[in-house]
Every structure is written in structure tokens, then in C-alpha cells.
Amino acid sequence: MPTYLFLWNPKQDPESSTDFDRLCTEATEGKPYETLWICPSRQPHIGDGAFLQRTGKVHNGVFARGVVVREPYKNDQGTRLVGLSLSSFLPLGSELPRSAIVAKAEYDKPWTPMASGNVIPVPILTAIQSLWLAPPNLHEPAQETNNDWYAEEMFGIEGEAFRRLVVHRRRERELRERKITDTLGKNGRLVCEVPGCGFDFAHVYGEIGVGYAQVHHLHPLWQSGEGRKTHLSDLAIVCANCHAMIHRGGKCRNLSLQNPKL
């Protein structure tokens, strides 16, 4: 199965760095960070691997890993997004710079990813995985000769559209946390609401699964627009498998896993 590289430019998306320490902590506790990411490519499929690379002149390099949980689709602004679940992060200052990855891979071809959603070549992927298990001491800024090739246009979105994406991702996190807290308070459990499923992470996995579940929007934000307020009753507790099937192929099916009447 292929693994894709996705890029993050902190200058364009500063909101994602405000709670980075919390994301690192939660990932070590078995709580992946689920987010939408810009992806010009149509190729990623659910279950494919994913690595994130921070761009810029400071702390640039590969810093997060996970999997694709929603295939690429276009939102109402025409921007193609992909759903990612990031389960592991490297602390700020311990990123894997491109120079170290290429040197480890002994890769003699140019590797200058210019956009999110490109397949990582096998030698490069092997090097990333090896360095990830035993990252070098990278607390000094990576010695890249030129980072200007990370053009802002490669993200395919800017201005007001990008601000809306940042707000959307922040709302996703806040709503998910509130829904889980509310459900635990009422039921004491987080059980998948898809009819016939009933999967409970805590019941199956024990302590590591306590307090974890995925949250599905019954009325997708991209359909709702900016004016609609999302209530907790608009959200459903789901397991990872059912959530993947609900969104497979970039669709948004209802909880019976049938195509919605749009």
C-alpha cells in the first residue's frame, strides 16, 4: 500500500501549531489527531499511509505520521481535501529534514516534493521509517540550502478560503471533544451508533481504548455552510471501520451506510 507525503506551511496555517504539544501528548495516549488536509491529488485511498512535513526555514522536516481515513473530495469552495488520522508526532526540533532522509536512503534522484498528496518513493519511505524509530539529534535548524521551492501556491488555497479551512478544523476538534464528553456523561460508554455495530473501543482494547471513539457529522459542514450552527445532536459516535465506510469514495452516507438523499 502506498504512503503519501502531505505538506504544512506554518506561515499559512498558524492555528495548527497552537496546540501542537497537546496533540503530541494525546497521540502517545492513543488518541489520534483527525483532520482534513489539502490534497491536490486524487490518488490516496482509505488505509494508505501518510507522513506530514513542515516547511519553512526553521524546524522543517517530516514530523507526523498516520493513515488516510477519507478519500479526496472537493468542498463547496472547489478545494480538494483528504481526511487524515495522525497517530504519532515528533517533538518540535526533532523533525526529519529532507537532507537527512535523502542521505539515509542514498537516493540519487531529485526528491523535492512540491505539493501534498505525492507518493513517497520506496527508498525514501524506508529511510523515513528507519529515522523515525531512532531520530537523530536535530535540535538545530536543518541545514537546507534553499526552501524557496516551497511556493505558497502549491497548497492550492489562500486568503479567505484558507481561513475558513483553519476555522473548520478547529471546530472539528472542539465539537469532537464536546460530543465525547457529553456521551460519556450520559451513557458512561462510547458505543458505535451505526445500526448493528455497537463497537466499543474500551470494551475491546481495555484501558488504551477508554475515552476514544470517532465522531461523525450527520450533516456535513461542507453542506451546511457558514450560517448553520452544529448541535451535539448533529453528531454521532462511530467506530473507525464504520466511519471509513460512511465516507468511502469521498461520499457521506447516513448511519445505515446507504447513499444519502441529497
Side-chain angles (χ1 to χ4, degrees), residues 95-112:
E95 302 83 5
L96 307 180
R98 184 171 60 96
S99 56
I101 294 169
V102 171
K104 179 71 173 179
E106 299 181 351
Y107 200 62
D108 57 2
K109 299 178 181 179
W111 185 59
T112 54

Side-chain angles (χ1 to χ4, degrees), residues 13 18 54 59 79 90 100 113 119 133 145 205 209 228-229 233:
D13 184 8
T18 56
R54 185 184 289 108
H59 298 310
T79 301
L90 293 179
V119 175
L133 296 175
T145 57
Y205 295 107
R228 187 182 189 280
K229 182 178 180 180
S233 58

Side-chain angles (χ1 to χ4, degrees), residues 189-200 242:
R189 298 176 62 194
L190 296 172
V191 177
C192 180
E193 297 180 36
V194 170
C197 181
F199 186 89
D200 182 339
C242 288

